[in-house]
Amino acid sequence: MSTPPDQRQYHHGDLRTALLTAADRSVRAHGVAQLSLRDLAREIGVSHAAPRRHFPDRQSLLDALAENGYTRLGERIRAAVASGDDGFAPRLRRAASAFAHFATENPALLELMNAAKHRPGDSPVSRSADTAFAPLVDLIREGQDRHVLRAGPFEEIGLILYATMNGIATLINNGLVDATRLDDLTAAAVNQFLRGAAPHG
Amino acid sequence: MSTPPDQRQYHHGDLRTALLTAADRSVRAHGVAQLSLRDLAREIGVSHAAPRRHFPDRQSLLDALAENGYTRLGERIRAAVASGDDGFAPRLRRAASAFAHFATENPALLELMNAAKHRPGDSPVSRSADTAFAPLVDLIREGQDRHVLRAGPFEEIGLILYATMNGIATLINNGLVDATRLDDLTAAAVNQFLRGAAPHG
DNA sequence: GCCGAGATGTTGCCATTGACAACATAAGTA
DNA sequence: TACTTATGTTGTCAATGGCAACATCTCGGC
């Protein structure tokens, strides 16, 4: 009844997912530039043109990866923030740390997320990016509500924090800064963010 | 005596420079991914294999561009800092602004500078990167000396500021943030950097 | 002046790639 | 069952990066 185990079926079943999985692994191992659609097809065992049914071109595969990345990043930040009912500062630190580790554990993905040419207005990618921003912005707003942060444009402030963490991860991922400094830099960035570099009044 | 003006000479004269110039323009116009060595060769009017004499492979051309970028960025920051003998804060603002504008005027170059896989230890690229960091770190140290900044690990602090500006530029270059917000975000980032987000005292 | 070596360019070739078109097969549905 | 759509396949093309073999220029030592 059932097809012989090692006989290739005409239809793969879930090629799209298989492609994304294989692409993620390939990109992780060899970098974005090396990713080849034909390679993926070979690895999965389908013809070289099969991926085209799911991703019209190379970039759309990369976009899907990036989108997925933003989603996972958002979840991770959310989880970090929610993983304890302690004070504001510890939660902020956990959020920053979550970002930092996600970004350095997935260097190629971060590159993809940053490089995905986000069209004006809303593409799926930039919408998922907003989803990743959100928990950070929410956290800032909460800090302001609790008067642990000065009042101010929370979206802008969240953006700056996000940018800082993104920048740190970029420096580390490209070897401009030693990876062992990740946690120190993250902690220092959060401190900097909270109390500033100038001496107090 | 002299060669007829429109007769192609066997030797170009300064192919390396011509390649870098053409590559810069191409990358600026069509992005890094689209850059083709053969295209450059055609545009310059040499054979498709000529570039190989100056850049063994595509990546080394890109590395050279990145290196050049770091050099120019460093100069620009240095100039901004030196362009007035006023107080520390204004100079810091000018430095940040210089970075911001350089990075958003040269999006592809920034991508290149960030993506140039910096080898462990010192490649030409990472050495030129250090040269771009230097004026920022010097400025921080000066601020500390003048007690306008709290004492602290100036290299780390400079790195964090650099990361922040880098991150902001990345967000804007990829359309995640509207380009018109550049100056506001830069100013806000510097403020954040100086006085922090938390209420004083 | 000459000549030989190294630098710089050229031609020809190859495997790989992304993209496309035409065709084949499976799956779902009226 | 017959029609329609989704999903794969084969074949082809132009372009690319990289390599090897060959051509030409430049320059320094003699």
Side-chain angles (χ1 to χ4, degrees):
Chain A
M1 279 259 105
S2 57
T3 35
D6 54 22
Q7 175 169 345
R8 196 73 57 202
Q9 296 183 343
Y10 192 92
H11 282 86
H12 174 278
D14 195 0
L15 220 204
R16 186 189 156 89
T17 302
L19 282 168
L20 286 174
T21 304
D24 182 84
R25 192 176 22 187
S26 167
V27 146
R28 189 182 303 275
H30 310 107
V32 176
Q34 296 298 318
L35 183 80
S36 149
L37 294 182
R38 284 169 114 104
D39 242 0
L40 299 183
R42 270 189 292 272
E43 180 183 334
I44 296 176
V46 294
S47 75
H48 67 257
R52 195 173 165 63
R53 295 290 173 206
H54 301 273
F55 302 100
D57 59 14
R58 197 185 118 105
Q59 187 57 46
S60 70
L61 207 208
L62 298 182
D63 284 349
L65 280 182
E67 187 183 338
N68 187 352
Y70 272 120
T71 302
R72 291 189 329 202
L73 171 60
E75 285 168 2
R76 198 137 149 199
I77 295 181
R78 246 184 301 276
V81 170
S83 77
D85 206 12
D86 42 359
F88 173 78
R91 294 166 69 185
L92 181 62
R93 284 179 216 289
R94 283 202 303 272
S97 186
F99 186 117
H101 282 101
F102 178 89
T104 52
E105 285 162 13
N106 304 279
L109 191 53
L110 183 73
E111 182 187 335
L112 234 36
M113 291 160 64
N114 280 335
K117 286 282 168 234
H118 307 287
R119 313 292 178 274
D122 49 17
S123 59
V125 191
S126 63
R127 239 172 301 140
S128 69
D130 288 343
T131 303
F133 283 123
L136 222 46
V137 175
D138 288 346
L139 188 59
I140 300 293
R141 182 163 31 194
E142 182 198 312
Q144 292 185 352
D145 288 347
R146 296 194 184 178
H147 302 287
V148 188
L149 294 185
R150 229 197 318 273
F154 42 82
E155 189 259 4
E156 184 179 80
I157 297 174
L159 226 47
I160 290 172
L161 182 58
Y162 185 95
T164 303
M165 297 314 304
N166 200 338
I168 290 176
T170 297
L171 289 177
I172 287 183
N173 284 347
N174 293 313
L176 279 170
V177 169
D178 195 281
T180 58
R181 299 179 64 187
L182 177 63
D183 288 324
D184 283 351
L185 276 172
T186 301
V190 174
N191 283 340
Q192 202 77 263
F193 173 81
L194 287 175
R195 23 166 257 179
H200 286 177
Chain B
M1 279 259 110
S2 55
T3 36
D6 54 22
Q7 175 169 344
R8 193 80 51 205
Q9 297 184 342
Y10 192 92
H11 282 87
H12 174 278
D14 196 359
L15 222 204
R16 185 188 156 91
T17 301
L19 283 168
L20 286 174
T21 304
D24 183 84
R25 193 176 23 187
S26 166
V27 146
R28 189 181 303 274
H30 310 106
V32 176
Q34 296 298 317
L35 184 81
S36 148
L37 294 182
R38 284 169 114 103
D39 244 0
L40 298 182
R42 270 190 292 272
E43 181 184 335
I44 296 176
V46 293
S47 74
H48 68 257
R52 194 172 167 64
R53 294 289 172 207
H54 302 273
F55 302 100
D57 58 16
R58 199 183 116 104
Q59 187 56 47
S60 69
L61 208 208
L62 298 182
D63 283 350
L65 279 182
E67 186 183 339
N68 187 352
Y70 273 119
T71 303
R72 291 189 329 202
L73 172 60
E75 285 167 3
R76 198 137 148 199
I77 295 180
R78 245 183 300 277
V81 170
S83 77
D85 208 11
D86 41 359
F88 173 78
R91 295 166 69 184
L92 182 61
R93 284 179 217 290
R94 284 202 302 273
S97 186
F99 186 117
H101 282 100
F102 178 89
T104 53
E105 285 162 14
N106 304 279
L109 190 52
L110 183 73
E111 182 187 336
L112 233 38
M113 290 159 65
N114 280 335
K117 287 282 168 233
H118 306 287
R119 314 290 179 276
D122 50 15
S123 59
V125 191
S126 62
R127 239 172 302 140
S128 69
D130 288 342
T131 303
F133 283 123
L136 221 46
V137 175
D138 287 346
L139 188 58
I140 300 293
R141 181 164 30 195
E142 182 198 312
Q144 292 185 352
D145 288 347
R146 296 194 184 177
H147 302 288
V148 188
L149 294 185
R150 229 197 318 274
F154 42 82
E155 189 258 5
E156 183 178 81
I157 296 174
L159 226 48
I160 290 172
L161 182 59
Y162 185 94
T164 302
M165 298 313 304
N166 200 338
I168 290 176
T170 297
L171 290 178
I172 288 184
N173 284 347
N174 293 313
L176 280 170
V177 170
D178 194 281
T180 59
R181 298 180 64 187
L182 177 63
D183 289 324
D184 282 352
L185 276 172
T186 301
V190 174
N191 283 340
Q192 202 77 262
F193 173 81
L194 287 175
R195 21 166 259 180
H200 285 179

